[in-house]
Every structure is written in structure tokens, then in C-alpha cells.
Amino acid sequence: MKDSLILRQAKVLFYQEVSDNGYKPSITIEVTQENHPLLEKFWSDNKIGKSGQSVPVGQMNLKEHNGTYQLAIKLSPNTKYAGISGLKQSDIGFGAIVDLYISAYEYSNAFTGGKTFVGVSVSSVLITQAAQTGRQQTLQELLSAYNSEE
């Protein structure tokens, strides 16, 4: 079992920081032609998942939305965050670019009926580019229009 994967320059599509309304903390990233083979091999090599799920053990549970494939990965209370150039955890959101340290781990508990399964979670997040809000984008458009008039 190769128990970790460093995934570079992943685009964030959704970030759920805390448990809320039945959703557990997670980060959803865009699965691209570049990162898909890395993720697919990691899931397969580590036999991530458990029997009885909608996808077989060792296959990612990808979602498709408007032609974009996405993957949600759990965050733990121990996930560590750091940012380049002063970026902080609060800078994560749609469109942010992050590097992820993804870890596979074995677990067996009362809910697994004594069986051992392999799960995956994000151990560390490095924020390399902040999310862009609509207001930031419109301000940039105004500034670039002003600068081009000079």
C-alpha cells in the first residue's frame, strides 16, 4: 500500500470546512486529464473503499457536473493548512488552487462488522492561489479597463 499522494495545483470546486447539515468536512477538486491518472492509480493501489458502495473498491467515486469531473475528499480535524504569500485557510473556496497531501488509512470499527477497509483523507493543504469572488473579478475588470485607457 502506497499510503500517500501529493497532488499539485488542484482547482477547488467546493470547500466544506465544518460538519453542517449532514455534510462532513471535505474539499472537492476538479479531476483533470493531468491529475486523473495519479488519483486513479492511488485509489487502485490502495484498494480504497468498502464493499456495498455505489462504486467498486479501488475506484474513485467521481461526480460529473456540466462536463467537469469532481472528487470530494474528506478532511479531518487534524488537517493542517498553510498558504503561500500570506494566504490562509479562509482563502480556500471556488477557484482556489491548492496542493494536497492525501493519505490512505486502514480502519475497522463497530460499523464495519470487524472487516478492515481503506479510507482516504487530506492530511495537509497548501493554498497557492486564493479563491476569486465575483466582486474581486468585477473589480479586476474595472481596473484593467481603466489601465488600458491610459
Side-chain angles (χ1 to χ4, degrees):
M1 178 163 92
K2 183 176 180 348
D3 61 356
S4 63
L5 169 68
I6 296 175
L7 189 64
R8 303 232 184 254
Q9 300 298 289
K11 180 180 179 182
V12 175
L13 300 176
F14 183 72
Y15 176 62
Q16 178 71 34
E17 182 179 358
V18 295
S19 292
D20 188 28
N21 296 327
Y23 293 100
K24 294 184 179 177
S26 66
I27 188 165
T28 301
I29 60 167
E30 181 177 5
V31 177
T32 64
Q33 290 180 344
E34 292 78 26
N35 65 22
H36 184 266
L38 299 169
L39 291 162
E40 187 174 53
K41 182 169 177 22
F42 183 71
W43 251 252
S44 176
D45 288 352
N46 290 291
K47 297 176 180 54
I48 294 168
K50 59 184 176 183
S51 55
Q53 287 187 212
S54 59
V55 295
V57 171
Q59 288 186 13
M60 296 181 292
N61 189 9
L62 293 179
K63 305 285 188 218
E64 188 269 335
H65 180 69
N66 292 334
T68 300
Y69 288 94
Q70 38 189 269
L71 176 68
I73 308 171
K74 291 189 303 186
L75 299 167
S76 81
N78 299 319
T79 299
K80 301 295 181 200
Y81 298 86
I84 302 293
S85 302
L87 294 173
K88 311 178 278 314
Q89 183 178 351
S90 60
D91 292 311
I92 302 173
F94 180 81
I97 304 297
V98 296
D99 290 354
L100 302 174
Y101 192 96
I102 302 169
S103 299
Y105 59 91
E106 291 183 340
Y107 66 96
S108 175
N109 56 38
F111 300 107
T112 66
K115 295 179 182 173
T116 300
F117 298 114
V118 179
V120 64
S121 69
V122 176
S123 299
S124 299
V125 178
L126 177 64
I127 305 109
T128 61
Q129 181 180 317
Q132 292 289 310
T133 66
R135 286 185 213 120
Q136 289 168 319
Q137 290 171 350
T138 56
L139 182 58
Q140 286 175 347
E141 285 181 38
L142 287 173
L143 288 171
S144 65
Y146 177 77
N147 291 332
S148 66
E149 291 174 3
E150 291 180 354

